[in-house]
Amino acid sequence: MAIKNLFTGKPMTLQAKFTIYNTVSKALIILVFVAILPVIVEKIAYDHIDRRLTARGEKVLRIIQRGGIDDIVLEQDCSFESYSILKEEFVAIYPILKPSTKKPNIEIKNESWSIEGERLEHRIFRRQFTYDNQLYELNIGEGISNIEELKSTIQRFSLWIMLGIISISIFLDLGFVRLLLKPLNKIISSKLKPVPSPASFDFTSIPSSTFEFHKLDQRINEMMHKLKDAFQIEKEFITNVSHELQTPISIVQNRIENIIVEGNAPDDVVIRLTDSQRTLNRMSRIIKALLLMSKIENDQYIKTDVVKINELLEEVLEEVDDRLNQKNIRLYKNFYDDVELKPCNKALLFTLFSNLLNNAIKYNKQNGSITITTHQVNNKFTIEIRDTGIGIDQGEQVAIFDRFKRLNKNEAEGYGLGLPIVKTIAAFHNIDIDVTSDPEVGSVFTLSIN
Amino acid sequence: MNVLIVEDERSLSHEMEIYLTRQNYNCDVAFNGKSAAEKIHLNNYDFVLLDLGLPDMDGLDLLREARKKGSEATFIILTARGEVEDKITGLDLGADDYIPKPFSLAELQSRMQAILRRKHGLKTNIMSIQDFEIDIQNRTVICKGNSINLTKKEFDLLHYLALHKNRVLTRMQLTEHIWGDVLEDDYESNYIDVHVKNLRKKLSAQAPIEWFETVRGVGYRVNA
């Protein structure tokens, strides 16, 4: 599962992840260290004490062996006890009647020892030995209250020192990560930002001593170079095709015009020339339409206009007003909401709506109606153009936006590029387009702007 | 009016020359950028009709150069390149109009007239056809003191026919002028007929209009 920002739900930056990882991992190390530190301290302290006690025990036994027990056992009951002034250390020897079978001969353990009525925690070295057929028990003790103190002191100290070291280390890590990721951040900010076309891409290479970043930058540049070249080649191709096809049309078109103007041709020839002119015009329009779509797809149009949809619709309606009147079509405008589209290309959007409305008129019935509804629902702005025309068969609805699909087979002319143009312009502006239609009832074209 | 046609396609420049000469323009032709630049430098042209795709240089550079050298001619860019930036750059460089190829010669002439009117404020802003007066400035038609209420398209249609009076204009030429460069999926010449029908109805209500002729199978003509 990807770690995402808890507050925004968006993916986090690499630097933020590094920071969190660093902090958490180091905090864990501190916790574990501080938790096991007392155990280690205790172990070391006991180790020391135990060795010390064992050595002392050996020493006492050596003294007894050398000088006899009478030298030190002065008491009536043959026992001996000696304390240091603070009762932190003591040596005690007691005669015992019979050896304990349960206890080992030598043992070291913690015990509460009563010295002159005061009970204190001690580490006790206990050993049994025989002297003159008498069994004795040697106890050498050392106070351990200071170990607890030592434990908490070391724990406190080490906690502060660790915190200090880790703070410095996190600080240094952050600086380093920041420095390390600088080229990557620069690649992201300058190479991965959206550009209107590959031509406006910034090809300046971003210096980095990190192999991966260097490679990444290099590859992005190479890819964009290829893309730029492809776009350029297509652009030149479009320009050339346009020039090569439109120029001959232009020549013939103008020649026909001159022949008609000169007035020497017989009437029937003029009529046929006029027809030829129409045919040429049709061809030219097809070329223009195809080139228009190619140019849009080639990102040759710039989006710098700001357009209010309702205002634009009014402008288009003014243009088609005569056509509406000619077919006596009633127009209903339900402009509930408006939206400002920016950046956009106004001329293209004009063509989009003009094509849709002209279709709504062209395929409408005499005395029919067109209803235009604009409204905002949640974050979506929709424009609905509903006509009372001949409609589109269910089977044909998917194909209406395809190039060169003529729907109304009875039409003598027409080449069905109006809707493909609409779709291309819509896609260029990230506008979704949808159609629903009932044959003989009418069609509804819905544009959704997110 | 002196016109320089800068066009490397000889057939095309030839047709333009024939048409404009008939309309009483003095035409000169240059087939490449170099000779065009020389001609612009040496002569005072009212119009330079400039093709952008010249064999030896870009037409836009020629325009830039000519403007730098102080040419005050009216430049109209005629191009088949169809590049989106061309229009913007051309107009920025001081071209007065931009007409994509193919265009009709009638349309070219009407654009030239429009520029003349705009630039020099032609004295004759009113065209008369018998009882009718077409006021180009105010876009109104007046007959015997009565103003006739025409739609925008009806006015454009009448004005265009009057501008090319005594010449037949085909439905295609009229459509091109009225609907301009709007790319529709098809053009229906029928619309022109309906416009003409409505226009005639409005005009004939005021005075006889036998000057408004239908040329069968071709188009319409205003005889004056």
Side-chain angles (χ1 to χ4, degrees):
Chain A
M1 196 184 71
I3 299 173
K4 291 189 172 179
N5 192 313
L6 289 175
F7 301 106
T8 60
K10 285 181 186 161
M12 288 168 95
T13 61
L14 197 53
Q15 187 164 345
K17 277 195 179 180
F18 267 129
T19 311
I20 291 174
Y21 167 77
N22 256 334
T23 315
V24 169
S25 64
K26 279 171 186 168
L28 273 176
I29 292 172
I30 298 183
L31 280 177
V32 171
F33 185 76
V34 171
I36 63 168
L37 194 64
V39 180
I40 295 170
V41 169
E42 195 177 70
K43 172 106 181 42
I44 293 171
Y46 281 143
D47 237 40
H48 275 270
I49 293 174
D50 290 356
R51 253 183 285 149
R52 212 157 47 228
L53 289 175
T54 311
R56 279 184 202 157
E58 301 291 328
K59 200 172 172 186
V60 170
L61 287 179
R62 267 203 308 279
I63 293 168
I64 291 171
Q65 270 166 4
R66 208 167 43 230
I69 200 157
D70 300 336
D71 278 3
I72 42 175
V73 180
L74 301 169
E75 304 285 334
Q76 285 291 313
D77 56 356
C78 296
S79 66
F80 167 82
E81 281 182 12
S82 160
Y83 319 108
S84 68
I85 191 163
L86 290 174
K87 299 167 188 166
E88 280 292 308
E89 287 173 20
F90 69 85
V91 177
I93 299 169
Y94 308 110
I96 49 174
L97 295 176
K98 54 179 179 180
S100 162
T101 46
K102 285 178 202 161
K103 286 184 186 170
N105 190 24
I106 299 173
E107 66 172 353
I108 300 176
K109 63 174 189 180
N110 288 357
E111 228 178 72
S112 181
W113 196 271
S114 175
I115 301 169
E116 293 179 335
E118 197 180 343
R119 295 195 75 85
L120 287 170
E121 271 301 307
H122 281 87
R123 186 82 172 160
I124 311 273
F125 170 87
R126 184 169 290 139
R127 180 173 178 173
Q128 295 175 2
F129 64 94
T130 316
Y131 189 83
D132 268 358
N133 294 322
Q134 172 65 47
L135 193 61
Y136 291 92
E137 188 185 76
L138 169 65
N139 294 280
I140 300 175
E142 192 172 320
I144 51 169
S145 58
N146 58 342
I147 290 180
E148 287 305 316
E149 256 172 59
L150 184 71
K151 261 159 63 181
S152 74
T153 309
I154 287 181
Q155 200 168 25
R156 219 170 37 241
F157 264 104
S158 61
L159 184 68
W160 285 115
I161 289 168
M162 289 294 279
L163 277 178
I165 290 172
I166 280 166
S167 305
I168 292 167
S169 136
I170 288 175
F171 188 72
L172 287 176
D173 281 357
L174 276 186
F176 179 67
V177 167
R178 215 189 172 95
L179 202 70
L180 188 73
L181 293 184
K182 208 173 164 185
L184 183 67
N185 289 332
K186 213 168 167 197
I187 288 172
I188 289 166
S189 67
S190 70
K191 299 284 164 103
L192 300 185
K193 68 174 179 204
V195 285
S197 77
S200 40
F201 183 77
D202 180 9
F203 285 101
T204 326
S205 69
I206 289 160
S208 170
S209 54
T210 311
F211 173 78
E212 286 86 347
F213 296 157
H214 178 70
K215 205 80 190 157
L216 181 68
D217 181 47
Q218 212 180 9
R219 285 275 179 271
I220 290 176
N221 273 358
E222 279 170 20
M223 268 157 44
M224 287 308 287
H225 262 301
K226 276 186 189 159
L227 203 61
K228 188 185 166 193
D229 289 349
F231 263 71
Q232 188 55 34
I233 288 166
E234 198 188 327
K235 189 178 173 185
E236 279 165 21
F237 178 76
I238 293 168
T239 306
N240 291 340
V241 166
S242 182
H243 184 262
E244 295 305 321
L245 296 178
Q246 299 286 27
T247 303
I249 293 175
S250 226
I251 295 169
V252 182
Q253 188 91 271
N254 291 354
R255 190 170 293 151
I256 292 174
E257 220 178 331
N258 271 333
I259 296 171
I260 296 174
V261 169
E262 278 158 21
N264 300 326
D267 286 356
D268 60 327
V269 174
V270 172
I271 290 172
R272 283 161 71 191
L273 284 173
T274 309
D275 278 347
S276 305
Q277 211 178 25
R278 280 188 61 180
T279 311
L280 274 177
N281 185 260
R282 198 171 122 202
M283 187 168 152
S284 167
R285 276 170 183 265
I286 293 172
I287 296 168
K288 274 189 195 166
L290 290 176
L291 289 176
L292 174 77
M293 287 186 275
S294 297
K295 278 190 275 182
I296 296 169
E297 281 160 3
N298 189 230
D299 273 335
Q300 288 190 39
Y301 283 91
I302 44 166
K303 283 187 267 194
T304 49
D305 300 329
V306 179
V307 163
K308 279 196 171 147
I309 290 295
N310 290 349
E311 277 174 23
L312 181 69
L313 282 167
E314 292 286 6
E315 274 180 53
V316 179
L317 285 171
E318 204 182 305
E319 196 69 20
V320 299
D321 190 41
D322 287 15
R323 289 188 167 192
L324 285 169
N325 291 335
Q326 284 172 14
K327 250 182 165 165
N328 197 26
I329 292 168
R330 270 167 305 156
L331 178 73
Y332 299 102
K333 287 185 283 187
N334 302 326
F335 291 175
Y336 297 126
D337 299 299
D338 202 354
V339 77
E340 208 174 54
L341 209 57
K342 63 179 175 183
C344 67
N345 186 299
K346 192 182 173 186
L348 289 180
L349 288 176
F350 189 95
T351 305
L352 183 156
F353 287 115
S354 161
N355 282 0
L356 281 180
L357 283 168
N358 274 318
N359 267 355
I361 298 168
K362 184 177 164 189
Y363 295 109
N364 218 320
K365 293 167 186 150
Q366 191 74 27
N367 307 320
S369 72
I370 293 173
T371 311
I372 306 174
T373 311
T374 59
H375 62 134
Q376 178 98 33
V377 180
N378 299 328
N379 278 330
K380 215 174 188 182
F381 185 83
T382 59
I383 305 140
E384 191 186 275
I385 300 174
R386 182 185 294 269
D387 66 53
T388 54
I390 55 170
I392 308 155
D393 284 336
Q394 198 69 42
E396 287 180 328
Q397 282 178 23
V398 279
I400 55 166
F401 294 110
D402 295 346
R403 292 169 198 190
F404 296 114
K405 285 271 177 178
R406 190 157 71 228
L407 301 178
N408 192 349
K409 305 269 189 319
N410 299 325
E411 287 280 319
E413 282 182 10
Y415 40 84
L417 285 176
L419 288 177
I421 288 174
V422 165
K423 196 181 180 188
T424 313
I425 297 174
F428 184 61
H429 288 94
N430 289 324
I431 299 173
D432 292 331
I433 184 159
D434 211 7
V435 64
T436 52
S437 185
D438 276 329
E440 299 312 313
V441 177
S443 309
V444 186
F445 286 86
T446 310
L447 301 168
S448 317
I449 301 165
N450 291 312
Chain B
M1 287 279 154
N2 297 317
V3 180
L4 176 67
I5 301 166
V6 187
E7 170 66 67
D8 63 314
E9 200 71 48
R10 286 169 196 248
S11 307
L12 193 56
S13 57
H14 183 61
E15 297 301 333
M16 284 162 68
E17 193 184 358
I18 292 173
Y19 186 92
L20 292 173
T21 307
R22 278 183 79 90
Q23 311 303 323
N24 298 321
Y25 288 96
N26 296 320
C27 291
D28 206 349
V29 181
F31 299 119
N32 57 51
K34 190 167 167 273
S35 88
E38 280 169 13
K39 287 183 181 207
I40 292 168
H41 188 59
L42 291 174
N43 306 299
N44 264 332
Y45 294 108
D46 298 291
F47 284 101
V48 176
L49 307 180
L50 179 65
D51 178 32
L52 291 187
L54 297 170
D56 57 341
M57 68 193 290
D58 191 310
L60 290 174
D61 292 333
L62 178 70
L63 168 61
R64 193 179 287 118
E65 202 59 31
R67 285 286 186 241
K68 212 195 265 175
K69 286 184 178 161
S71 167
E72 284 178 359
T74 294
F75 278 76
I76 298 181
I77 293 171
L78 308 172
T79 180
R81 286 210 302 216
E83 276 188 32
V84 183
E85 302 96 332
D86 281 352
K87 187 173 181 176
I88 301 161
T89 318
L91 297 180
D92 277 352
L93 288 174
D96 293 85
D97 208 344
Y98 173 98
I99 311 178
K101 287 179 188 171
F103 52 85
S104 85
L105 294 167
E107 181 65 23
L108 171 65
Q109 194 204 340
S110 90
R111 298 269 194 118
M112 288 165 79
Q113 294 265 356
I115 293 168
L116 281 181
R117 213 169 37 243
R118 199 172 67 222
K119 269 196 160 177
H120 307 294
L122 278 192
K123 287 172 199 129
T124 51
N125 266 331
I126 297 191
M127 299 163 94
S128 293
I129 311 165
Q130 296 193 5
D131 297 325
F132 296 90
E133 283 185 341
I134 305 169
D135 185 337
I136 298 155
Q137 195 84 46
N138 300 314
R139 297 179 61 82
T140 52
V141 178
I142 294 155
C143 178
K144 298 171 188 165
N146 295 328
S147 175
I148 304 170
N149 189 21
L150 298 183
T151 67
K152 185 177 170 290
K153 299 249 180 290
E154 286 163 358
F155 180 87
D156 287 342
L157 194 64
L158 182 63
H159 175 213
Y160 198 52
L161 281 162
L163 192 71
H164 300 284
K165 61 186 177 188
N166 300 323
R167 273 171 14 222
V168 58
L169 288 180
T170 63
R171 290 184 175 81
M172 193 220 82
Q173 284 172 318
L174 292 169
T175 306
E176 183 192 343
H177 180 71
I178 302 294
W179 292 94
D181 212 20
V182 177
L183 278 160
E184 293 161 69
D185 60 344
D186 71 342
Y187 92 95
E188 291 172 84
S189 50
N190 173 42
Y191 277 117
I192 290 296
D193 294 336
V194 179
H195 277 308
V196 169
K197 202 176 114 195
N198 291 339
L199 177 59
R200 274 183 164 152
K201 210 157 103 188
K202 288 180 184 176
L203 295 177
S204 60
Q206 305 291 328
I209 51 157
E210 67 280 5
W211 47 265
F212 200 143
E213 188 193 350
T214 303
V215 182
R216 201 179 60 82
V218 183
Y220 300 94
R221 176 164 54 204
V222 162
N223 300 301

